Amino acid sequence: MNGVFDLGGTDGLGKVQTIENEPVFRAEWEKAAFAMFSNCFRAGFFGVDSFRHSIEKMDPAEYLLSNYYEHWVHVIEDRGAQKGVIDPAELDARTQFFLDNPDAPLPEREDPDLLAFVDAVVKSGAPANRPTDKEARFAVGDKVTVIADSPYGHTRRARYIRGRTGEITAAHGAAIYPDSAGNDGPEAPEHLYTVRFTAEELWGPGTAEPNNTVYFDVWEPYLTTAS
Amino acid sequence: MAQPTDTPLRTQEEITARVKALEAMLIEKGIMTTEAVDRLAEIYENEVGPQLGAQVVARAWTDPEFKQRLLADASAACAEMGIGGLQGEEMVVVENTDTVHNVIVCTLCSCYPWPVLGLPPNWYKAPAYRSRIVREPRKVLAEDFGFPIPDDVEVRIWDSSSELRYWVLPQRPAGTEGLGAFELAALVTRDSMIGVGPVGTP
């Protein structure tokens, strides 16, 4: 989908605001929001691609103005409602309760299996590379153009590379295809490549800074041989 | 008083109540526990952070064969040191040289190599960095980070659009010939492994 989250090359968003010695979590709620990602992943709310797509479908003004971990909270609400686990009206009522009673305790529950899962997933992760019988259509050194489609739904084909031509610098085998998995389809693995674009190709020779390149990972269906 | 996570849309009190309500419901549904929250916070506040990436960089500076393995397959090389996992299943290390300077970003979301750098700083996830670093990296590095790159050095931006997780092997600073891996690791900053800042000086 064409959305505000696809930020590469957007102008007018101001200076980068760095903060010295920023804490990993700036508030207690950020810890809970962070934990919801892995805990709800385990409960089958989403994969990493459908997680991202849920964020992409946020109200665009809210996306730009809210905290990063509020995006994650949005996903839990959105996917939790889809799964029938989170009732939005109940959530609103209970939010009001905690606004009125900020020191009210959370329910107590023990779950050693969840703790074991947390330690295991942090250590080993969830790899996205997949075996495939498909032969790779492209190879390192090939000149390729990113097909200038604007698909609806989830894609990693950022707007600033569409229609642009570059050179394949690495071939990585196959990986889960976000344009399928991110739209709640099957993993449908596709070959993955890294493509090198010059700044002149991306932004135009009159605008580009000199001597810059961008490396971007693309799945095979995004590509065609450069003419 | 203004809180760090206040926004024009919600105060920290409102966000806190919303997240607490959601957490309460997820606990009751058997999906979450407060212990899991505490454990994850403990891991990323105290165990997994840029000190791990710094150890890898210091070893690469002192062990040429390890550096070869790191550049060939970063995940396998890091695994030799017990480093790896979530959001770094397939890591790729890109090396700075006299002629190439590398920078990482994720313009579409906020992908970042957690096992070696920890969780990303807020500026990395915010629109300004994600929008501008691919379009005007020299300006952003010089003006926003105070870290200008000479014109004759190519700036390579790695936009982390897939599950590959890129990070930067900075150059070993001059005057560190006598230092061991432990002292060298102390010079390696998080920003130098993102590509937006220098390593320290001894």
Side-chain angles (χ1 to χ4, degrees), chain A residues 23-25 28 31, chain B residues 40-48 51:
Chain A
V24 174
F25 299 103
E28 286 299 308
K31 296 179 186 177
Chain B
L40 278 159
E42 168 72 15
I43 290 170
Y44 288 102
E45 283 182 327
N46 298 317
E47 296 171 19
V48 176
Q51 73 280 2

Side-chain angles (χ1 to χ4, degrees), chain B residues 70-123:
Chain B
L70 182 69
L71 294 174
D73 183 342
S75 295
C78 289
E80 293 175 28
M81 300 175 69
I83 294 168
L86 191 61
Q87 287 297 309
E89 294 87 350
E90 276 191 90
M91 294 190 282
V92 178
V93 166
V94 288
E95 183 187 14
N96 286 351
T97 67
D98 289 342
T99 55
V100 174
H101 179 79
N102 296 283
V103 184
I104 62 166
V105 65
C106 172
T107 62
L108 290 168
C109 45
S110 300
C111 298
Y112 191 75
W114 295 2
V116 286
L117 298 190
L119 300 180
N122 278 284
W123 60 258

Side-chain angles (χ1 to χ4, degrees), chain A residues 17-187:
Chain A
Q17 306 284 340
T18 57
I19 292 168
E20 283 292 314
N21 300 317
E22 184 181 60
V24 174
F25 299 103
R26 297 172 300 170
E28 286 299 308
W29 73 265
E30 290 196 336
K31 296 179 186 177
F34 177 71
M36 284 175 190
F37 168 68
S38 49
N39 288 196
C40 294
F41 172 83
R42 176 173 177 257
F45 277 34
F46 41 70
V48 69
D49 296 295
S50 50
F51 180 88
R52 292 190 183 114
H53 190 43
S54 178
I55 292 175
E56 292 165 0
K57 290 184 289 183
M58 286 178 70
D59 177 276
E62 182 165 353
Y63 178 90
L64 290 172
L65 289 172
S66 54
N67 292 292
Y68 174 73
Y69 285 120
E70 285 185 86
H71 299 177
W72 288 28
V73 172
H74 165 84
V75 177
I76 307 304
E77 292 184 24
D78 174 43
R79 300 291 292 194
Q82 274 182 47
K83 294 276 166 197
V85 176
I86 300 298
D87 173 45
E90 184 188 350
L91 178 61
D92 284 344
R94 296 182 72 159
T95 300
Q96 189 57 51
F97 170 79
F98 281 116
L99 272 171
D100 298 336
N101 305 276
D103 297 324
L106 284 162
E108 286 183 31
R109 190 175 85 84
E110 304 233 325
D111 190 342
D113 289 347
L114 176 60
L115 277 182
F117 168 81
V118 162
D119 278 318
V121 80
V122 166
K123 223 173 166 47
S124 55
N129 54 347
R130 292 289 182 272
T132 183
D133 295 334
K134 289 187 205 170
E135 212 165 301
R137 284 173 49 217
F138 302 103
V140 171
D142 285 359
K143 298 274 193 299
V144 289
T145 300
V146 179
I147 299 166
D149 259 13
S150 297
Y152 293 106
H154 183 64
T155 183
R156 303 295 275 181
R157 186 174 0 188
R159 270 178 288 191
Y160 81 95
I161 63 158
R162 292 179 197 166
R164 305 301 180 191
T165 295
E167 181 179 331
I168 293 181
T169 60
H172 303 286
I176 296 173
Y177 187 42
D179 298 50
S180 177
N183 296 308
D184 291 321
E187 291 188 345

Side-chain angles (χ1 to χ4, degrees), chain B residues 33 120 125 132:
Chain B
T33 61
K125 304 180 279 191
R132 292 176 55 211

Side-chain angles (χ1 to χ4, degrees), chain A residues 62 70 92 104 160 217, chain B residues 10 18 20 154 157 159 161:
Chain A
E62 182 165 353
E70 285 185 86
D92 284 344
Y160 81 95
D217 296 333
Chain B
R10 282 176 214 96
R18 186 84 175 168
K20 201 167 177 183
E154 177 188 338
I157 306 297
D159 192 344
S161 53

